[in-house]
Structures are given as C-alpha cells and as structure tokens.
Amino acid sequence: IISHSELCEITARDNKIKSCSSLKGLKKLKKIILDNNEIESLQPLSNIELVSLSARMNKIKELPVLSRSIERLELYHNCINTISENQINHLTRLTYLDLGRNKLQFIDGHHLSNCQFLNTLILSQNQMKSVPTPLHLPMLKVLWLSGNNLNTFQSWVENQDEHVDRVTDSRIFLPSLKK
C-alpha cells in the first residue's frame, strides 16, 4: 500500500484531466504540473501551500485565489480575461508569473504591487492596450509584452522615472510595439 500523505510533487501533463479537486486533500504538495490538460478551474488548490504551480495550455477562465506561499505561477495559454486584486495582491513571495497567451485586456499595476519579489512577468500575446501602471516592482528583470495591442510606453515610462536604473537593467521584449 502506497501512502499519499507525504507526496510533495505531482506531474500530470499531456492528459485529459478536467478537474483537480481530487488533489485538495494532499496538503504536503509543493509543486504541481498540470500542463496540457482540460482543466477549467484551479480553485480546489487554494488551500494547499504550493510553491510552484504550472497549468499551461488548459481551459482556465479565472485566476484562482492561491496560498501566499506560491513563488512560481505558470498559466500560459488559458482563457483568463481579468485579474482582480484579491486574486494576486496577497502573493508576496511570487517571483515568476506567466499569464502569456490569455485574454487579458487590462491589468491594474496596483494589483501586482505587493509582489515585491517578482522578477519575471510574462504578459505576451494577450489583448492589452497599455502596460500595467503603476508597475512598481523593484526586483523585476524580465517583462514580456509581445503580441498585444500596445501603441505607446508613454504613461508607463512617466510612472517609472524614479526607477530608471531598474528599467535599464531589465530585459523588455516588445517587438510588436506599433509606431
């Protein structure tokens, strides 16, 4: 008999999993990889003290309210269209956030402001018309914004004046920026 009580990592990519509710009792899980499945909601995972969650290429429509222990969150290529303050504001340990290729039109920079350790923010291939502002993230090194509907940096750069040294040291990817 195998006990699940000590299980700390699960990888179940490339399956046809529709729900992760059966994982909610595994309280010692720290890392879950559920890429390329058919999952619509991650809410059952909200009470698990995860450090890393990857659910890329699923059908997730809403960012779940996860435990504040999360450091890495990968939700690339889903159906997320909004991010509210209560979904992300408490994620103070977050260092890596990939929301690329979703349906985001806008993110309020204030919602990310408590993510002070965030060093990688991927928002590429969404439907955003502007860079999230104010975006005061002192550890940010990588910001991907390719494939959106951006037409200017103006309001974002004006809000970053006191952080010029951080911005020039960062890698900013914007090949689709319209002139």
Side-chain angles (χ1 to χ4, degrees), residues 83-85 88 106-113 128 131-135:
I83 303 289
S84 68
E85 187 173 7
I88 203 152
F106 174 79
I107 295 181
D108 187 332
H110 288 293
H111 297 348
L112 296 168
S113 64
M128 297 175 56
V131 180
T133 55
L135 196 57

Side-chain angles (χ1 to χ4, degrees), residues 115-131:
C115 303
Q116 292 295 303
F117 295 106
L118 193 63
N119 62 48
T120 301
L121 177 58
I122 301 173
L123 299 173
S124 54
Q125 297 178 330
N126 277 287
Q127 300 162 6
M128 297 175 56
K129 294 180 181 172
S130 63
V131 180

Side-chain angles (χ1 to χ4, degrees), residues 44-101:
L45 305 178
S46 62
N47 293 324
I48 300 175
E49 298 287 322
L50 292 172
V51 173
S52 178
L53 172 61
S54 182
R56 302 163 56 97
M57 296 177 285
N58 278 282
K59 298 177 181 177
I60 299 161
K61 296 177 182 162
E62 183 176 85
L63 185 70
V65 177
L66 295 168
S67 165
R68 65 180 63 247
S69 62
I70 197 94
E71 294 175 13
R72 185 176 185 92
L73 182 57
E74 298 179 56
L75 296 175
Y76 172 83
H77 200 223
N78 278 285
C79 303
I80 300 167
N81 60 16
T82 60
I83 303 289
S84 68
E85 187 173 7
N86 71 319
Q87 292 169 315
I88 203 152
N89 197 27
H90 67 288
L91 302 180
T92 56
R93 295 182 185 170
L94 196 63
T95 61
Y96 185 97
L97 178 60
D98 184 351
L99 293 172
R101 203 164 181 189

Side-chain angles (χ1 to χ4, degrees), residues 24-35:
K24 66 183 175 186
L26 302 174
K27 300 295 183 190
K28 293 200 176 182
L29 279 176
K30 297 296 177 203
K31 182 176 184 179
I32 300 177
I33 300 173
L34 297 170
D35 299 345

